[in-house]
């Protein structure tokens, strides 16, 4: 039932549009944790960790009998707050934040095995598994909501499956841009933008929840929609991986399919096959007049089958090993950039409700503060759609002027009358440098706005947070696609996501430190994260130096050209400068 690559190419626009929609609704929805946290509290998840108000009443009565009158303090009032009839407290926040930490960790860490599997077997099976896992996570949350006192632990398994399923769909969609040629970085940015914008999903669901729709009903309908993703993938996604544009030209396959070649032999492989056919035919024609020589030749078959024409079509970039790519300076510095950026962004999302509450007006009551936080959380959710609009900007920066560059795989005849074309690799490095400088400047700006205890200014923080989250993933994805072989894209992205996810686990102890010793004040945590964020400028600084090195090497080649020719049909070549 799986379509061929040529069939998938003919459906690429349908697949791209549905992938964007599916990413919006099912990929990294955990990034909208602030809204989900409010709904889980309203449904009573881990409410049994909070003290019942009755215990306080008994204690006050016993103290009054001893002649001691105790008036409840503001701290005691906070312990007995309720939401939708369920008690809420700090211990509940810490437990649910731990579940979010595990889910967000899997959202990134699982990409390494996913990348290895996808590079070998293609995206189809992983996407089917991801949609099924997401549907199961929705069912588990709905089941736990029926009896939260006894089934609250299911939220850990549900969020783990949610993170795993969401990343399966996100990661597989990143291979789809391979079918769009020179616009690959732009489409990668579009996919990552839809992934980052999926944080708007839970705020949207909360709006439906506030309108009176049952939480369980919403989750069951959502699980059914995940089943539609499964069906769409089953009928439209091919079994084979999507080769990069440098490895395959899908249009050649469609144009020359009448030759009867196997659908895997396309693009540049097709041209190599045609060259082999031409050589064999020319040899056969030249030997028609020499039957004796022809009879003595071994392997003189001129069969045009694909088996007979099989050649080794290993691309030049495959010579770079996976371990060499991992230990390259660009990859190591990209790890540092992603680690500090992920920690900065994940901490803000996990602790956002507590941060906003600390920035609230001190004259407000606790209930009024909660309502104010709820309003700002909804604003944050709506602003996540900016990722879908801003992420392609980085894709455009990564693709800037690539069409004006010379082809890396074809030797061009130099014509003095024609203007020199740009070197493609140098242009890619220059574009990536601009993208990372811009992204890191925005990240520093975000860190500065987090230091100001103003709720109104936090709207600017929301905007910067959203833009940086879309930009950083798009920039890293575009850099890997530009510098490393396409067959290593999944594994390298997975390795980077795993290490950055492990580093982002620090957000849980940072959150506990903020809620404990720092008494809910995020100032010093934000100062420390702002200082660490400066490490993100190491990567663009190295890219600047690397680009200068490439330009110098190119200039040396142009200043010292050599033309090699053979003299008198000899075996040795002589060089003329």
């Amino acid at each position: 039932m799986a379509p061929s690559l040529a069939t998938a190419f003919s459906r690429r626009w349908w697949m791209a549009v549905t992938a964007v929609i599916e990413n919006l609704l099912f990929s990294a929805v955990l990034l909208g944790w602030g809204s989900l946290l409010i709904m889980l509290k309203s449904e009573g998840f881990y409410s049994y960790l909070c003290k019942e108000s009755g215990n306080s009443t008994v204690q006050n009565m016993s103290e009054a009998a001893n002649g001691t009158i105790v008036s409840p303090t503001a701290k005691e009032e906070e312990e007995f707050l309720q939401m939708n009839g369920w008690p809420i407290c700090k211990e509940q926040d810490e437990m649910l934040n731990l579940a979010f930490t595990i889910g967000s960790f899997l959202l990134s860490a699982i990409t390494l095995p996913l990348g290895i599997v996808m590079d070998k077997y293609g995206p189809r099976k992983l996407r089917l598994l991801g949609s099924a896992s997401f549907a199961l996570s929705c069912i588990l949350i709905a089941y736990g909501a029926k009896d939260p006192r006894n089934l609250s632990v299911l939220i850990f398994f549900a969020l783990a499956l949610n993170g795993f399923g969401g990343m399966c769909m996100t990661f597989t969609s990143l291979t789809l841009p391979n079918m769009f040629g020179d616009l690959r970085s732009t489409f990668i940015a579009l996919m990552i933008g839809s992934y980052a914008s999926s944080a708007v999903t839970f705020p949207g669901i909360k709006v439906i929840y506030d309108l009176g729709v049952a939480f369980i009903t919403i989750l069951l309908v959502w699980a059914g929609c995940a089943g539609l993703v499964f069906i769409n993938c089953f009928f439209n996604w091919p079994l084979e991986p999507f080769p990069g544009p440098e490895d395959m030209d899908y249009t050649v396959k469609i144009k020359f399919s009448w030759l009867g070649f196997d659908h895997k032999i396309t693009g540049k492989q097709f041209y190599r096959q045609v060259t082999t056919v031409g050589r064999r035919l020319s040899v056969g024609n030249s030997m028609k007049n020499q039957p004796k020589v022809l009879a003595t030749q071994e392997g003189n078959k001129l069969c045009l089958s694909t088996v007979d024409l099989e050649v080794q079509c290993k691309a030049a970039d495959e010579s770079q090993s996976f371990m060499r790519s991992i230990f390259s300076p660009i990859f190591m510095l990209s790890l540092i950039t992603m680690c500090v950026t992920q920690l900065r962004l994940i901490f803000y999302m996990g602790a956002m409700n507590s941060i906003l509450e600390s920035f609230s007006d001190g004259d407000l009551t606790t209930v009024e503060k909660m309502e104010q936080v709820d309003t700002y959380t909804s604003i944050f959710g709506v602003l996540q759609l900016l990722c879908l609009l801003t992420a392609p900007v980085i894709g455009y920066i990564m693709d800037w002027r690539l069409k004006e560059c010379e082809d890396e795989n074809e030797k061009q005849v130099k014509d003095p009358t024609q203007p020199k074309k740009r070197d493609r690799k140098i242009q890619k490095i220059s574009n990536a440098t601009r993208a990372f400088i811009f992204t890191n400047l925005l990240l520093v700006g975000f860190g500065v706005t987090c230091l100001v205890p103003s709720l109104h200014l936090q709207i600017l923080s929301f905007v910067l947070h959203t833009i940086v989250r879309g930009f950083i993933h798009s920039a890293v994805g575009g850099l890997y696609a530009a510098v490393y072989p396409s067959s290593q894209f999944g594994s390298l992205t997975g390795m980077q996501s795993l290490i950055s996810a492990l580093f982002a686990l620090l957000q849980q102890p940072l959150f506990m430190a903020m809620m404990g010793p720092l008494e809910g004040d995020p100032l010093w945590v934000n100062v420390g994260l702002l200082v660490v964020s400066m490490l993100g400028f190491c990567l663009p600084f190295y890219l600047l130096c690397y680009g200068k090195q490439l330009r110098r090497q190119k200039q040396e080649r142009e200043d010292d050209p050599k033309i090699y020719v053979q003299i008198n049909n000899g075996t040795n070549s002589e060089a003329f400068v």
Side-chain angles (χ1 to χ4, degrees), residues 336-381:
I336 296 175
T337 302
M338 282 301 298
C339 284
V340 298
T341 306
Q342 281 285 81
L343 178 61
R344 168 76 270 195
L345 299 178
I346 291 293
F347 172 78
Y348 189 80
M349 283 187 290
M352 183 176 63
N353 288 12
S354 300
I355 293 174
L356 294 176
E357 187 174 345
S358 68
F359 289 168
S360 299
D361 191 351
D363 296 334
L364 298 177
T365 64
T366 304
V367 175
E368 291 173 338
K369 287 182 180 180
M370 291 174 59
E371 292 177 350
Q372 200 172 43
V373 169
D374 189 15
T375 301
Y376 277 85
T377 301
S378 301
I379 295 174
F380 176 79

Side-chain angles (χ1 to χ4, degrees), residues 303-365:
C303 177
L304 299 183
S305 67
T306 56
V307 176
D308 186 52
L309 293 177
E310 184 176 359
V311 292
Q312 297 294 330
C313 299
K314 207 168 191 179
D317 58 3
E318 293 294 338
S319 60
Q320 182 171 340
S321 66
F322 179 65
M323 294 305 297
R324 183 180 175 185
S325 299
I326 286 181
F327 290 103
S328 63
I330 291 179
F331 184 76
M332 299 300 292
L333 291 174
S334 71
L335 280 182
I336 296 175
T337 302
M338 282 301 298
C339 284
V340 298
T341 306
Q342 281 285 81
L343 178 61
R344 168 76 270 195
L345 299 178
I346 291 293
F347 172 78
Y348 189 80
M349 283 187 290
M352 183 176 63
N353 288 12
S354 300
I355 293 174
L356 294 176
E357 187 174 345
S358 68
F359 289 168
S360 299
D361 191 351
D363 296 334
L364 298 177
T365 64

